[in-house]
Amino acid sequence: MRVFFYIIILIIFSGGAFAQTDTVLVKDFSNEWYFFDGNKQLPLVRKSDFKGNIVTLSIDKRDYEDALLSIQSSQEISLFVNGSLIDVFSDKIILDFQELGGEYDIVSLSIYSKTLNPYLLSTGAYRVINGNLDPLKDDVVVVNPRSSDTFFNFLISSLVVLGIFFAILMNRFPKVMSEYFRLSRAISPRELDENLLKSRPLVASNMFVYAFLSLVIAFNVLGLVNISGALPQMEIFHPSTFGQAILSWLQISVLVFGAIFLKLIVVGYFASLYSLQGFINSHFYNFTRLLLMIACFVLLLITFFQLGGFHLDAATYYNMYIAAIFSLTLLSVIIYLKLLSSAPFKNLHLFSYLCATELIPFVIILSLGINKSF
């Protein structure tokens, strides 16, 4: 549907209208974090190297006389200053540098959590400004993460690519795309004889749709995992440069594209095993159509919140990531209802087929996506 393309373009070019900057970033302390590796204290060069549950750093507060210290994490963390517990909190805490550490100029900070995730932690020195302040004064830099953040630049670029790809598909295969996004038929419990798309899953038009679907799913997974800080031990989800982000997106897309064809093989095998050969193509078509709708909806959510100036915490994006995974159960329910209306078999027989083709793969995805068992 062209509406999908127009919505993405509208959000991309209107996102800047929501953003307002009222602070300046004096110092990002993430490059000065240390962690304990056994009995040794080592600098945390890459967040993927982190071990343990404590991050430490030392600050000379004389360098930040007019600044405030901001510490943010969606986890519950304990903050120690010069060995004394200051607070236990989640979300964000703002502290005045001049009130930290009493008369000591060098302040030692320790941040502890039982399951500390460095991707969910941020520490920085900020100054409050007004709209008339020249950002070049005092050698400060205006805080605008969207202009300097490498991953955000990747999100913008990948959305442009997806928008162009979608426009090409709509122009080249308008009827095919219209059928894929026909919600009333997708969620209908009755199986309808719609067109030849079901009987020919490997035609060129469908192959292009699978490629687009793979890119959208890869975008969603990479975006939600990176922003939420989930799966910190997997560097593919936490690229440090724009090039690495593009490469990670393509690698995940290839994996998803392969998984789609593996799904077709699995459906074909078990449909033959359970004497449901006539339902193979219809099952696969409905699966990809529903998956495409869910994936595009998640993409629109990410686009809206990231480009619309809404500053959601990492936990919200993690919950969105979990909800996206559990939304796959909707596919199983709808496909099961379509089976009941089209296959003359007992419920137990159909449910066994559904377990083999939908529920067991869902449990595997759930385990890989949440329990981090890669």
Side-chain angles (χ1 to χ4, degrees):
M1 294 173 10
R2 289 182 174 86
V3 175
F4 172 71
F5 175 68
Y6 294 148
I7 289 175
I8 289 182
I9 297 300
L10 177 63
I11 293 177
I12 289 177
F13 289 101
S14 64
F18 295 94
Q20 294 182 353
T21 300
D22 59 358
T23 58
V24 293
L25 176 63
V26 180
K27 178 71 173 182
D28 180 1
F29 295 116
S30 62
N31 294 326
E32 299 183 10
W33 290 352
Y34 283 78
F35 72 105
F36 289 95
D37 185 6
N39 296 325
K40 299 182 296 182
Q41 188 179 41
L42 302 174
L44 186 58
V45 179
R46 297 184 304 175
K47 291 182 179 180
S48 58
D49 294 332
F50 177 76
K51 298 178 182 178
N53 47 27
I54 297 177
V55 163
T56 65
L57 66 151
S58 295
I59 302 173
D60 188 341
K61 64 183 185 182
R62 292 172 296 184
D63 297 332
Y64 310 100
E65 293 182 357
D66 301 325
L68 298 174
L69 173 63
S70 172
I71 301 176
Q72 184 172 358
S73 175
S74 58
Q75 297 179 295
E76 183 177 272
I77 60 177
S78 301
L79 174 63
F80 295 83
V81 176
N82 292 339
S84 299
L85 178 64
I86 298 298
D87 201 356
V88 178
F89 64 96
S90 59
D91 195 16
K92 179 188 289 187
I93 187 173
I94 304 294
L95 301 170
D96 189 335
F97 276 102
Q98 302 311 308
E99 297 178 359
L100 289 177
E103 60 184 10
Y104 296 99
D105 293 328
I106 306 299
V107 179
S108 177
L109 301 180
S110 298
I111 301 171
Y112 166 84
S113 177
K114 185 177 181 180
T115 57
L116 185 62
N117 185 341
Y119 289 101
L120 301 181
L121 177 65
S122 65
T123 56
Y126 295 86
R127 287 178 185 164
V128 178
I129 64 172
N130 56 51
N132 298 321
L133 182 63
D134 184 351
L136 298 180
K137 291 181 179 179
D138 298 325
D139 296 323
V140 295
V141 181
V142 174
V143 175
N144 187 352
R146 298 189 303 174
S147 65
S148 59
D149 182 71
T150 298
F151 193 77
F152 184 83
N153 293 335
F154 157 74
L155 292 181
I156 294 292
S157 301
S158 55
L159 282 172
V160 171
V161 172
L162 289 173
I164 294 173
F165 196 174
F166 184 81
I168 293 174
L169 290 177
M170 288 297 301
N171 182 66
R172 184 68 179 83
F173 310 109
K175 292 184 179 180
V176 172
M177 296 302 291
S178 176
E179 288 296 328
Y180 268 104
F181 283 98
R182 187 167 294 185
L183 181 62
S184 59
R185 291 191 177 185
I187 63 177
S188 172
R190 298 186 60 186
E191 183 60 22
L192 302 175
D193 185 17
E194 297 169 282
N195 48 45
L196 294 177
L197 288 174
K198 295 179 183 179
S199 59
R200 303 174 63 188
L202 298 182
V203 295
S205 59
N206 285 333
M207 296 290 288
F208 280 110
V209 172
Y210 304 156
F212 177 74
L213 174 59
S214 300
L215 290 170
V216 172
I217 293 176
F219 173 89
N220 292 341
V221 172
L222 183 57
L224 291 176
V225 172
N226 182 278
I227 298 170
S228 68
L231 305 175
Q233 74 278 24
M234 300 191 65
E235 294 187 17
I236 190 174
F237 295 116
H238 302 281
S240 58
T241 66
F242 180 82
Q244 290 178 355
I246 293 293
L247 181 60
S248 295
W249 183 37
L250 294 178
Q251 288 175 333
I252 297 173
S253 299
V254 171
L255 291 176
V256 174
F257 194 74
I260 290 174
F261 283 94
L262 180 61
K263 177 72 175 185
L264 178 59
I265 294 173
V266 169
V267 169
Y269 173 77
F270 283 103
S272 176
L273 188 64
Y274 283 87
S275 301
L276 293 169
Q277 292 91 335
F279 196 71
I280 297 175
N281 295 333
S282 179
H283 180 169
F284 185 71
Y285 174 69
N286 283 296
F287 169 82
T288 53
R289 175 162 65 179
L290 289 167
L291 188 60
L292 179 62
M293 289 183 178
I294 293 173
C296 289
F297 177 72
V298 174
L299 181 144
L300 288 176
L301 286 180
I302 297 173
T303 304
F304 178 73
F305 288 120
Q306 280 291 294
L307 305 189
F310 297 93
H311 302 289
L312 303 181
D313 57 29
T316 301
Y317 286 102
Y318 182 75
N319 292 334
M320 193 185 303
Y321 166 67
I322 299 300
I325 293 178
F326 275 99
S327 67
L328 296 179
T329 57
L330 178 65
L331 278 71
S332 302
V333 173
I334 295 177
I335 290 174
Y336 180 66
L337 293 177
K338 290 180 181 290
L339 269 173
L340 287 177
S341 66
S342 61
F345 294 98
K346 294 182 179 180
N347 289 350
L348 182 60
H349 184 82
L350 298 178
F351 184 73
S352 299
Y353 167 76
L354 189 70
C355 286
T357 58
E358 297 294 335
L359 298 183
I360 292 178
F362 170 72
V363 171
I364 294 174
I365 293 174
L366 192 65
S367 176
L368 295 177
I370 297 179
N371 296 329
K372 312 168 191 175
S373 57
F374 287 124

